[in-house]
Amino acid sequence: MRLTDCHNIDDFRRLAKARLPFPVFDYIDGAADDELTKARNTAAYDSVDLVPDVLAGVETIDTSCMILGRKSALPLMLSPTAVQRAFHWQGETAVAKAAEKFGLWFGISSLATRSIEEIAALTTGPKLFQLYVHKDTGLNTHMIERCQAAGFDALALTVDTIVSGKRERCLRSGFTTPPRFTPASVWSYATRPRWTLDYVLREKFRLPNLDTHVSEGTNKAVSIAEYFNTMLDTSMDWDTAAAIRQQWGGTFVLKGVMSVADARRAVEMGADAIMLSNHGGRQLDGSRAPFDQLPEIVDAVGGQIEIICDGGVRRGTHALKALCSGATAASGGRLYLYALAAAGQDGVERALGILKDEIERAMRLMGVTSVDQLTADRLRARPVL
């Protein structure tokens, strides 16, 4: 299978599986417990039908929209995801450059393998930083100050990782950051020589936004679960969130909100946006899908705060269904991670090009010429009968 054989996100997943050692692929692909929520995140979009209008004159369409105060060429964001250097040697560099080329928001994680300053120098496009709150308050402050100095456009506080979900595929494979070769996995690494040589011979794996304060993840191999369970602050509460918002002083997002009550509290505290997210099904298995929860959240706080539907997006029509259901935009991580793992920047650009084509085609077939038409008319998305 080659990159030119990839015509949808599932194709990139198959190519990534063929090219990655299984512990690395399972880290991207896996989720918590029985992985029911991960599956539901995508399946939820099947519960709603699109209702097209015809004879609408769609020769010219506008797919752009405003997200968090900046213009996006598509109603789609590339969610922050951790340790991208483990998936392809280009890591976040590839995703940042592809996002800028397509005019999209791009986020990096606290656990990114490129520094805040490197990403800021790479792109003038809209940039979001995902903050994990550590027990080390000095580290939290240091990351926020670096983002301020580097000119990041928004800060997203992740609120659904007080402890790690039980990611059983990672428990079986022994995946750590940095990745390490174990007796159970050495054959898989040996039979993926391109990945293995890139990992061994190119620049060293590190977590440059953390390694000023901690050795875990860079010089000391740990699992993501171990990192979350030992390094992150389990006492984080609404007062913590308010203090971080004040310290940041810019566009502020809460990532991981799922309940109506929490959405209302986000409005009350002055957050600019919420990302409806269950962390890609990697935390609480059995939780609702963001798209399933979207109508309740929109009914409660729509118009008062931006609402980004995060997770499960595999098609351009999924993004349009989210908009028709009241979201400001859709976002996802695996939708570009599979492509990054499969072919680096070329893969991400091909994946984004496919999603762009799907959004444009679907808008014409629905008889709409702008994203505003979709967000203004919730009747265009109906529950499946």
Side-chain angles (χ1 to χ4, degrees):
M1 190 177 184
R2 298 169 299 176
L3 181 59
T4 53
D5 297 320
C6 294
H7 303 290
N8 58 44
I9 302 305
D10 282 344
D11 287 342
F12 288 104
R13 178 185 179 276
R14 285 190 286 273
L15 185 55
K17 186 175 183 179
R19 292 185 173 181
L20 291 181
F22 82 82
V24 181
F25 176 79
D26 279 352
Y27 174 74
I28 298 175
D29 195 57
D33 299 334
D34 297 311
E35 303 190 0
L36 300 176
T37 293
K38 176 203 168 189
R40 179 61 194 166
N41 283 355
T42 297
Y45 289 99
D46 296 337
S47 66
V48 166
D49 291 330
L50 294 171
V51 181
D53 288 337
V54 296
L55 301 176
V58 291
E59 180 181 3
T60 301
I61 63 170
D62 182 4
T63 62
S64 68
C65 64
M66 295 297 294
I67 305 173
L68 303 176
R70 290 202 59 176
K71 188 173 183 178
S72 174
L74 298 171
L76 185 67
M77 296 178 68
L78 307 187
S79 298
T81 58
V83 299
Q84 291 178 22
R85 166 69 173 81
F87 316 142
H88 190 279
W89 67 269
Q90 294 174 344
E92 290 86 356
T93 299
V95 185
K97 289 181 177 179
E100 182 174 43
K101 180 175 180 178
F102 282 83
L104 303 181
W105 272 90
F106 159 70
I108 66 166
S109 168
S110 297
L111 278 67
T113 52
R114 295 289 186 272
S115 73
I116 291 164
E117 294 77 13
E118 286 177 275
I119 294 300
L122 273 176
T123 172
T124 59
K127 297 174 287 295
L128 173 146
F129 183 77
Q130 176 199 31
L131 179 69
Y132 285 117
V133 176
H134 289 71
K135 294 175 183 177
D136 184 342
T137 56
L139 173 56
N140 300 329
T141 296
H142 187 57
M143 288 191 288
I144 291 171
E145 290 176 346
R146 289 171 68 180
C147 288
Q148 290 168 332
F152 268 63
D153 300 278
L155 183 96
L157 173 62
T158 296
V159 295
D160 59 1
T161 55
I162 294 297
V163 296
S164 175
K166 186 185 178 187
R167 303 176 189 181
E168 295 180 4
R169 288 206 233 176
C170 289
L171 292 174
R172 295 188 184 98
S173 72
F175 178 80
T176 61
T177 58
R180 60 187 175 191
F181 306 144
T182 66
S185 63
V186 67
W187 179 250
S188 182
Y189 288 105
T191 55
R192 305 296 192 279
R194 181 172 178 178
W195 182 94
T196 303
L197 289 172
D198 281 339
Y199 177 73
V200 172
L201 299 178
R202 295 184 185 272
E203 63 190 79
K204 183 181 177 182
F205 180 99
R206 56 188 289 255
L207 302 180
N209 301 316
L210 304 175
D211 63 9
T212 53
H213 286 67
V214 300
S215 61
E216 285 83 355
T218 295
N219 297 318
K220 178 182 177 182
V222 294
S223 69
I224 294 295
E226 182 183 355
Y227 190 92
F228 282 1
N229 291 336
T230 59
M231 305 298 290
L232 300 190
D233 184 3
T234 56
S235 70
M236 182 171 64
D237 58 15
W238 284 96
D239 289 338
T240 308
I244 289 171
R245 174 182 173 269
Q246 184 174 13
Q247 184 180 8
W248 167 241
T251 301
F252 183 73
V253 183
L254 287 180
K255 182 179 182 291
V257 170
M258 285 292 290
S259 75
V260 168
D262 285 346
R264 286 180 172 144
R265 290 199 69 168
V267 172
E268 291 169 3
M269 75 170 292
D272 297 284
I274 52 177
M275 295 182 78
L276 306 192
S277 176
N278 54 38
H279 220 88
R282 296 157 82 83
Q283 288 296 101
L284 177 63
D285 197 32
S287 64
R288 289 198 86 186
F291 184 70
D292 283 334
Q293 192 68 351
L294 180 60
E296 291 181 25
I297 301 291
V298 171
D299 287 342
V301 299
Q304 302 175 65
I305 193 169
E306 292 189 39
I307 303 169
I308 299 160
C309 189
D310 177 71
V313 176
R314 298 292 184 272
R315 289 283 186 182
T317 49
H318 293 168
L320 299 189
K321 287 181 179 183
L323 294 176
C324 291
S325 300
T328 305
S331 64
R334 291 186 181 95
L335 64 88
Y336 71 84
L337 277 187
Y338 292 133
L340 171 67
Q345 184 176 341
D346 289 343
V348 178
E349 289 185 6
R350 183 169 176 86
L352 296 181
I354 289 169
L355 290 168
K356 178 178 183 290
D357 288 346
E358 290 180 350
I359 289 171
E360 291 175 347
R361 184 182 308 108
M363 285 178 62
R364 286 191 166 95
L365 291 173
M366 289 179 66
V368 295
T369 57
S370 71
V371 169
D372 289 342
Q373 282 183 267
L374 291 168
T375 55
D377 187 0
R378 291 177 65 181
L379 293 179
R380 290 185 180 273
R382 303 279 186 85
V384 174
L385 298 178

Coordinates of all heavy atoms in Angstrom, one line a residue, residues 130-133 157-165 167 228 232 236 254-258 262 275-284 287 290 310:
Q130 N -2.0 23.1 24.5 CA -2.8 22.3 25.4 C -2.0 22.1 26.7 O -0.9 21.6 26.7 CB -3.1 20.9 24.8 CG -3.8 20.0 25.7 CD -3.6 18.5 25.3 OE1 -2.6 18.2 24.7 NE2 -4.7 17.7 25.5
L131 N -2.5 22.7 27.8 CA -1.8 22.6 29.1 C -2.4 21.5 29.9 O -3.6 21.4 30.2 CB -2.1 23.9 29.8 CG -1.4 24.0 31.2 CD1 0.1 24.1 31.1 CD2 -1.9 25.2 32.0
Y132 N -1.4 20.6 30.3 CA -1.7 19.6 31.4 C -1.2 20.3 32.7 O 0.0 20.7 32.8 CB -0.9 18.3 31.1 CG -1.5 17.4 30.1 CD1 -0.8 17.1 28.9 CD2 -2.8 16.9 30.2 CE1 -1.3 16.3 27.9 CE2 -3.3 16.1 29.2 CZ -2.6 15.8 28.1 OH -3.1 15.0 27.1
V133 N -2.0 20.3 33.7 CA -1.6 20.9 35.0 C -0.8 19.9 35.8 O -1.3 18.9 36.2 CB -2.9 21.4 35.8 CG1 -2.5 21.9 37.1 CG2 -3.6 22.5 35.0
L157 N -6.9 24.4 28.4 CA -6.7 23.6 29.7 C -7.4 22.3 29.6 O -8.6 22.2 29.4 CB -7.2 24.4 30.9 CG -7.2 23.7 32.2 CD1 -5.7 23.3 32.6 CD2 -7.8 24.5 33.3
T158 N -6.6 21.2 29.6 CA -7.2 19.9 29.5 C -7.7 19.5 30.9 O -7.0 19.4 31.9 CB -6.2 18.8 29.0 OG1 -5.9 19.2 27.7 CG2 -6.8 17.4 29.0
V159 N -9.0 19.1 31.0 CA -9.6 18.9 32.3 C -10.1 17.5 32.5 O -10.7 17.2 33.6 CB -10.8 19.9 32.5 CG1 -10.3 21.3 32.5 CG2 -11.9 19.7 31.4
D160 N -9.8 16.6 31.6 CA -10.3 15.2 31.7 C -9.2 14.2 32.0 O -9.4 13.0 31.7 CB -11.1 14.8 30.5 CG -10.3 14.9 29.2 OD1 -9.1 15.2 29.2 OD2 -10.9 14.6 28.1
T161 N -8.1 14.6 32.5 CA -7.0 13.7 32.7 C -6.4 13.8 34.1 O -5.2 13.8 34.3 CB -5.8 14.0 31.7 OG1 -5.4 15.3 31.8 CG2 -6.2 13.7 30.3
I162 N -7.3 13.8 35.1 CA -6.9 13.8 36.5 C -6.1 12.6 36.8 O -5.1 12.6 37.5 CB -8.2 13.9 37.4 CG1 -8.9 15.3 37.2 CG2 -7.8 13.8 38.9 CD1 -8.0 16.5 37.5
V163 N -6.6 11.5 36.3 CA -5.8 10.2 36.3 C -5.9 9.6 34.9 O -6.7 10.0 34.1 CB -6.3 9.2 37.3 CG1 -6.1 9.7 38.7 CG2 -7.7 8.8 37.0
S164 N -5.0 8.7 34.6 CA -5.0 8.1 33.2 C -6.1 7.0 33.1 O -6.4 6.3 34.1 CB -3.7 7.5 32.9 OG -3.7 6.8 31.7
G165 N -6.7 7.0 31.9 CA -7.5 5.8 31.6 C -6.7 4.5 31.5 O -5.5 4.6 31.4
R167 N -5.4 2.0 29.5 CA -5.2 1.8 28.0 C -4.5 0.4 27.9 O -3.3 0.3 28.0 CB -4.3 2.9 27.4 CG -5.0 4.3 27.7 CD -4.1 5.4 27.2 NE -4.7 6.7 27.6 CZ -4.2 7.9 27.3 NH1 -3.1 8.0 26.6 NH2 -4.8 9.0 27.7
F228 N 0.8 10.4 33.7 CA -0.4 11.1 34.2 C -0.6 10.8 35.7 O -0.9 11.8 36.4 CB -1.6 10.6 33.4 CG -1.7 11.2 32.0 CD1 -0.8 12.1 31.5 CD2 -2.8 10.9 31.2 CE1 -0.9 12.7 30.3 CE2 -2.9 11.4 29.9 CZ -2.0 12.3 29.5
L232 N 0.7 14.6 37.2 CA -0.4 15.6 37.1 C -1.1 15.8 38.4 O -1.1 15.0 39.3 CB -1.4 15.1 36.0 CG -0.8 14.9 34.6 CD1 -1.9 14.8 33.6 CD2 0.1 16.1 34.2
M236 N -6.8 19.5 40.9 CA -7.3 20.6 40.0 C -8.8 20.7 40.1 O -9.5 19.7 40.1 CB -6.8 20.3 38.6 CG -7.3 21.4 37.6 SD -6.6 21.1 35.9 CE -7.3 19.6 35.5
L254 N -11.6 25.4 27.6 CA -11.6 24.2 28.5 C -11.8 23.0 27.6 O -12.8 22.9 26.9 CB -12.7 24.3 29.5 CG -12.5 25.3 30.6 CD1 -13.7 25.3 31.6 CD2 -11.2 25.0 31.4
K255 N -10.9 22.1 27.6 CA -10.9 20.9 26.7 C -11.2 19.7 27.6 O -10.5 19.4 28.5 CB -9.6 20.7 26.0 CG -9.6 19.5 25.1 CD -8.2 19.4 24.4 CE -8.2 18.2 23.4 NZ -8.3 16.9 24.1
G256 N -12.4 19.0 27.3 CA -12.8 17.9 28.0 C -14.1 18.1 28.7 O -14.5 17.2 29.5
V257 N -14.8 19.2 28.5 CA -16.1 19.4 29.0 C -17.1 18.5 28.3 O -17.1 18.4 27.1 CB -16.5 20.9 28.8 CG1 -18.0 21.1 29.2 CG2 -15.6 21.8 29.7
M258 N -18.0 17.9 29.1 CA -19.0 17.0 28.5 C -20.4 17.2 29.1 O -21.4 16.9 28.4 CB -18.6 15.5 28.7 CG -17.5 15.1 27.7 SD -18.0 15.0 26.0 CE -19.1 13.6 26.0
D262 N -21.2 21.6 33.5 CA -19.8 22.1 33.4 C -19.8 23.2 32.2 O -19.0 24.1 32.3 CB -18.9 21.0 33.0 CG -18.5 20.1 34.3 OD1 -18.8 20.6 35.4 OD2 -18.0 19.0 34.1
M275 N -14.2 22.7 24.4 CA -14.1 21.5 23.5 C -14.8 20.4 24.1 O -14.4 19.8 25.2 CB -12.6 21.2 23.2 CG -11.9 22.3 22.5 SD -10.1 22.0 22.2 CE -10.3 20.9 20.7
L276 N -15.9 20.0 23.5 CA -16.6 18.7 23.9 C -15.7 17.6 23.5 O -15.5 17.3 22.4 CB -18.0 18.6 23.3 CG -18.9 19.8 23.4 CD1 -20.3 19.3 22.9 CD2 -19.0 20.3 24.8
S277 N -15.2 16.9 24.5 CA -14.2 15.9 24.2 C -14.1 14.8 25.3 O -14.3 15.2 26.5 CB -12.8 16.5 24.1 OG -11.8 15.6 23.9
N278 N -13.9 13.6 25.0 CA -13.7 12.5 25.9 C -12.2 12.0 25.7 O -12.0 10.8 26.0 CB -14.7 11.4 25.9 CG -14.9 10.8 24.5 OD1 -13.9 10.7 23.7 ND2 -16.1 10.5 24.1
H279 N -11.4 12.8 25.2 CA -10.0 12.5 25.0 C -9.8 11.3 24.0 O -9.0 10.4 24.2 CB -9.3 12.1 26.3 CG -7.9 12.7 26.4 ND1 -7.6 13.9 26.9 CD2 -6.7 12.1 26.1 CE1 -6.3 14.1 26.9 NE2 -5.7 13.0 26.4
G280 N -10.6 11.3 23.0 CA -10.5 10.2 22.0 C -10.9 8.8 22.5 O -10.5 7.8 22.0
G281 N -11.7 8.8 23.6 CA -12.1 7.5 24.2 C -11.0 6.9 25.0 O -11.0 5.7 25.4
R282 N -9.9 7.7 25.4 CA -8.7 7.1 26.0 C -8.8 7.3 27.6 O -7.9 6.9 28.3 CB -7.5 7.9 25.5 CG -7.3 7.6 24.0 CD -6.4 8.6 23.3 NE -5.0 8.5 23.5 CZ -4.2 7.7 22.8 NH1 -4.8 6.9 21.9 NH2 -2.9 7.6 23.0
Q283 N -9.9 7.9 28.1 CA -10.0 8.1 29.5 C -11.1 7.3 30.1 O -10.9 6.2 30.6 CB -10.1 9.6 29.8 CG -8.9 10.5 29.5 CD -7.8 10.1 30.5 OE1 -6.8 9.3 30.1 NE2 -7.8 10.5 31.7
L284 N -12.3 7.8 30.1 CA -13.5 7.1 30.7 C -14.2 6.3 29.7 O -15.0 6.9 28.9 CB -14.4 8.1 31.4 CG -15.7 7.6 32.0 CD1 -15.3 6.6 33.2 CD2 -16.5 8.7 32.5
S287 N -18.2 6.6 28.5 CA -18.8 8.0 28.5 C -19.4 8.3 27.1 O -19.2 7.6 26.1 CB -17.7 9.0 28.7 OG -16.7 9.0 27.7
P290 N -18.9 13.0 22.1 CA -19.1 14.5 22.0 C -20.3 14.8 21.1 O -21.1 15.7 21.4 CB -17.8 15.0 21.5 CG -16.8 14.0 22.0 CD -17.5 12.7 21.9
D310 N -15.1 17.8 19.5 CA -13.8 17.1 19.3 C -13.8 15.6 19.4 O -14.3 15.1 20.4 CB -12.8 17.7 20.4 CG -11.4 17.0 20.3 OD1 -10.7 17.3 19.4 OD2 -11.1 16.2 21.2

